[in-house]
Amino acid sequence: MEQATIAVTGMSCGHCVASIEKALTNLSGVDQVSVSLEKSEVDVSYNQELITINEIKEEIEDQGYDAKD
């Protein structure tokens, strides 16, 4: 399993956190997701053989947020 912390801008409330958690948890290959509104970060544990960090970032951006390393 790989671990990554992704900086996410545009989150402003608990709904934002829930939206990202739900979207990433539903991706095949993502094991654990922890979203911090206070830090504007997403910690994710994933299987790099099933999904890439870029695909994870794309999903965050599809939810309407900006994702950076």
Side-chain angles (χ1 to χ4, degrees):
M1 286 290 170
E2 285 288 315
Q3 295 271 127
T5 299
I6 303 166
V8 178
T9 57
M11 297 188 298
S12 62
C13 64
H15 174 73
C16 300
V17 170
S19 175
I20 292 172
E21 284 180 347
K22 181 178 179 185
L24 295 184
T25 301
N26 287 334
L27 292 176
S28 179
V30 172
D31 184 47
Q32 293 182 3
V33 177
S34 176
V35 181
S36 172
L37 182 61
E38 296 79 21
K39 294 181 181 180
S40 297
E41 292 179 344
V42 174
D43 291 320
V44 62
S45 175
Y46 64 99
N47 183 334
Q48 64 188 9
E49 294 178 14
L50 299 175
I51 192 165
T52 67
I53 191 67
N54 287 333
E55 290 171 315
I56 294 169
K57 287 189 217 174
E58 286 175 17
E59 184 62 33
I60 292 170
E61 291 176 355
D62 286 349
Q63 298 302 311
Y65 308 98
D66 291 322
K68 300 175 175 44
D69 283 333

